[in-house]
Amino acid sequence: MERPVRHGGGGGSWEEVRGAVAGNGSCVVYAAVDDWVPAELHAPELAADLGPDHARLVRMPASRNRDRFVAARLLLKSAAGAVLDARARELELAYKPGGRPYLRGIDQLDVGLSHTEGLLVVGLTRVGRIGVDTEPADRRMLELGTEHQACTPHELEALERVPPERRNRELVRLWTLKEAYSKAIGQGLRFRFTEFGFGPPGGPVRMLRPDGTPAAGREWTFHSWLVDDAYTVSAAVHDPGFGEGTPPLSDPGSSAS
């Protein structure tokens, strides 16, 4: 998996998304919320574009959360349609218990979805399952108790070795990786984050047991990116056919633009 593909606002293209999935099996797409919010939320064609989600839309009060809800689903269906060579409105987005999205009647493409503030993130994979998560890179988490709710003993020790000015961003990275993994397995926040951890940045991202020993096998790959120096985006991909001769995904530590 390469760095995320920007779509909208003058960047990215559906050809790039199709090529990324064809070449790598998986792709993460991101876009600004404002680029995907329809000008008219009561337009008749929006009902066809959203499908069953339109009923949820009409019950939602006007808010930024409603904007993100609509924009995220339009981006997901458009990205999936580009990969599947189908019109977005021909795809029906449904949800498993716990809220994990999937495309009804389509088993050759798994999808993931996340959004925060002004950013939308969609994950697409043909190889197995995918989960994605995003948070503002500077979201305050440190010294609020979050680290003790989200980190293993090994991660807490590692955090103490991170320079203070980078410690909060590292906690955000760990949080998004755990969210992405728990979404991929359909557990969300029901899965205790203190039961699994991740290694430091700068190399292949590995899942670790609470004591810091390796946990998940090579069928799981994990990736984190810093987008526009403002958002942390993470993805977890499960490939049941992952071969021993194929190198795991690595964390490039780059900012997508």
Side-chain angles (χ1 to χ4, degrees):
M1 186 188 297
E2 304 296 333
R3 66 177 60 184
V5 176
R6 180 195 293 273
H7 205 279
S13 68
W14 293 135
E15 288 75 18
E16 187 177 359
V17 173
R18 281 193 291 268
V21 174
N24 302 303
S26 305
C27 180
V28 172
V29 182
Y30 71 95
V33 173
D34 290 339
D35 288 339
W36 282 85
V37 178
E40 179 52 69
L41 291 181
H42 302 290
E45 57 269 24
L46 186 58
D49 291 335
L50 289 177
D53 274 330
H54 189 260
R56 295 175 61 185
L57 167 65
V58 298
R59 296 194 299 268
M60 298 175 72
S63 66
R64 191 60 172 166
N65 188 56
R66 184 182 69 171
D67 292 346
R68 288 192 292 265
F69 174 86
V70 175
R73 281 144 185 85
L74 292 177
L75 175 63
L76 188 156
K77 293 180 72 174
S78 296
V83 172
L84 295 167
D85 195 23
R87 297 175 64 200
R89 64 176 51 180
E90 294 173 345
L91 303 175
E92 182 179 337
L93 190 61
Y95 304 89
K96 296 180 180 180
R100 190 174 192 276
Y102 69 98
L103 299 172
R104 191 183 300 278
I106 296 173
D107 58 9
Q108 67 266 41
L109 188 70
D110 193 56
V111 297
L113 178 65
S114 183
H115 52 75
T116 186
E117 293 188 354
L119 192 74
L120 312 170
V121 177
V122 167
L124 309 163
T125 185
R126 286 189 180 273
V127 300
R129 287 175 288 166
I130 191 168
V132 294
D133 191 63
T134 183
E135 291 285 353
D138 290 325
R139 175 187 170 185
R140 178 72 185 279
M141 288 188 171
L142 199 66
E143 299 177 350
L144 297 178
T146 307
E147 59 268 42
H148 298 288
Q149 298 171 5
C151 294
T152 65
H154 178 78
E155 288 173 319
L156 288 174
E157 291 178 5
L159 270 177
E160 290 298 319
R161 296 192 292 270
V162 175
E165 66 274 12
R166 292 182 7 223
R167 200 168 293 166
N168 188 79
R169 282 200 170 197
E170 171 61 5
L171 182 56
V172 173
R173 184 188 72 95
L174 293 172
W175 177 271
T176 58
L177 282 167
K178 295 184 181 206
E179 281 269 29
Y181 174 69
S182 61
K183 289 178 180 180
I185 64 175
Q187 292 297 310
L189 291 172
R190 293 176 295 174
F191 193 51
R192 291 181 60 188
F193 284 3
T194 54
E195 295 180 356
F196 66 104
F198 292 94
V205 182
R206 300 294 194 194
M207 181 181 285
L208 306 175
R209 295 187 177 92
D211 63 359
T213 57
R218 288 170 61 85
E219 70 275 11
W220 280 100
T221 51
F222 305 93
H223 214 133
S224 287
W225 304 269
L226 188 60
V227 170
D228 297 338
D229 198 34
Y231 300 96
T232 298
V233 174
S234 291
V237 180
H238 181 260
D239 179 0
F242 199 81
E244 286 298 315
T246 306
L249 297 178
S250 60
D251 182 355
S254 60
S255 175
S257 61

